[in-house]
Amino acid sequence: MAGVRHPLTIAIDGPAASGKGTIARALARHYGLPHLDTGALYRAVALAALEAGVDLTQGPAVAALARALDLDHCDDARLRADRVARAASAVAALPEVRNALLDVQRRFAAAPPGAVLDGRDIGTVILPQARAKLFVTARPEVRARRRFLELAARGTPTSEAEVLADIRRRDLADSTRPTAPLARAPDAVLLDTSDLDIDEAVRRAIDIVEARIAA
Ligand code: DC
C-alpha cells in the first residue's frame, strides 16, 4: 500500500443485502480505515422518531432528531428490526433529514487517514470526490435469500416471498425518491455479488480499490 495518498476515501453504494456492508467492513480492515454504515444513521433517526411518536412525514421535526444524533448510538441491535428498516426508508426520503446528516458523514470521511462509507448516495452526493467508488449489487432473489437466512438464524419468523416483496418495495422507494435516490455514480465500478462468495467479493473489491489508487 505504499504511495497511498491520505485521506483515502472509499464510497460503497448499493441496495439492501447486496453485500455492501460486508465489503465495506472488509475494506476498512484491509486499509486500516474507520467505517461508517450510513444506513445505521437513518435507522437511528427512524428509531428515535418512532420512540418519540414523531410523525415520519414531518421533515423539520424528524430533522431535529437527526441533528441530535449521537454516532456512538448507531450500533444498537434494535436498529436491525424490520419496522425500523421501513421507517428508515421513509425518513431517508425527507430532504431535511438528508441535509441534517450530510455534515456528520463528510466530517467522518475527511479526517485522516480517511474512511470507508457505505450507503445509497455516498458516491453521488456525500463524497463525489471519493478516491474509489463501488456500486455493489445482486439479483433481488439472491438478496432476498441472504436476508431470509439472516432473519431465520436470528429466529425471526418470515417467508422468503415476504422478504423478496419487502426488498422490491424498498428498492423502488429508495431508487425513485426525488432527493438523493439510490443510483450508481458514473465513475463507480459495478460489482455484482450474485454468484460470488464473500471472500471472492472482497478480493474483487480490493482489486477495484487498488486499481483506483494506482490510477
Ligand atoms: O442499508 P440500510 O438497510 O441499513 O438502510 C436503511 C434505509 O436508509 C434504506 O431504506 C435506505 C436509507 N439510506 C439512504 O437513503 N441513504 C444512505 N446513505 C443509507 C441508507
Side-chain angles (χ1 to χ4, degrees):
M1 277 172 279
V4 175
R5 279 179 295 124
H6 288 114
L8 173 58
T9 47
I10 303 177
I12 320 269
D13 291 302
S18 57
K20 67 180 187 309
T22 304
I23 289 172
R25 282 189 298 276
L27 286 175
R29 246 192 328 273
H30 183 81
Y31 289 104
L33 298 172
H35 164 233
L36 184 62
D37 164 9
T38 65
L41 304 181
Y42 292 92
R43 286 171 183 263
V45 173
L47 180 62
L50 290 171
E51 286 186 334
V54 170
D55 182 338
L56 298 180
T57 63
Q58 294 306 304
V62 185
L65 297 172
R67 278 190 293 275
L69 193 70
D70 181 348
L71 278 193
D72 293 339
H73 291 154
C74 288
D75 57 359
D76 190 322
R78 289 175 304 162
L79 299 183
R80 297 294 124 205
D82 269 0
R83 90 186 168 108
V84 177
R86 273 191 294 274
S89 191
V91 303
L94 302 169
E96 297 91 337
V97 171
R98 305 203 72 85
N99 206 25
L101 294 176
L102 192 71
D103 278 354
V104 67
Q105 296 175 79
R106 287 191 177 153
R107 268 202 309 275
F108 188 93
V116 181
L117 272 67
D118 76 86
R120 303 292 191 289
D121 63 337
I122 309 303
T124 50
V125 176
I126 307 296
L127 304 175
Q129 310 296 340
R131 189 84 60 77
K133 297 182 186 178
L134 277 84
F135 192 82
V136 182
T137 187
R139 292 188 296 277
E141 295 75 14
V142 174
R143 292 189 281 125
R145 174 104 200 127
R146 288 176 186 161
R147 181 52 56 86
F148 171 71
L149 293 174
E150 217 177 277
L151 291 169
R154 272 194 265 146
T156 311
T158 182
S159 73
E160 207 169 321
E162 227 172 289
V163 177
L164 178 58
D166 197 49
I167 277 191
R168 288 196 194 278
R169 252 194 314 273
R170 276 219 286 153
D171 281 359
L172 186 69
D174 293 341
S175 52
T176 57
R177 67 178 178 227
T179 311
L182 167 66
R184 176 183 169 190
D187 54 347
V189 179
L190 185 70
L191 178 57
D192 187 326
T193 65
S194 298
D195 303 309
L196 305 178
D197 65 19
I198 292 175
D199 288 349
E200 183 57 24
V202 168
R203 255 195 304 277
R204 294 206 193 179
I206 291 172
D207 286 349
I208 292 167
V209 175
E210 288 295 314
R212 283 303 166 99
I213 289 172

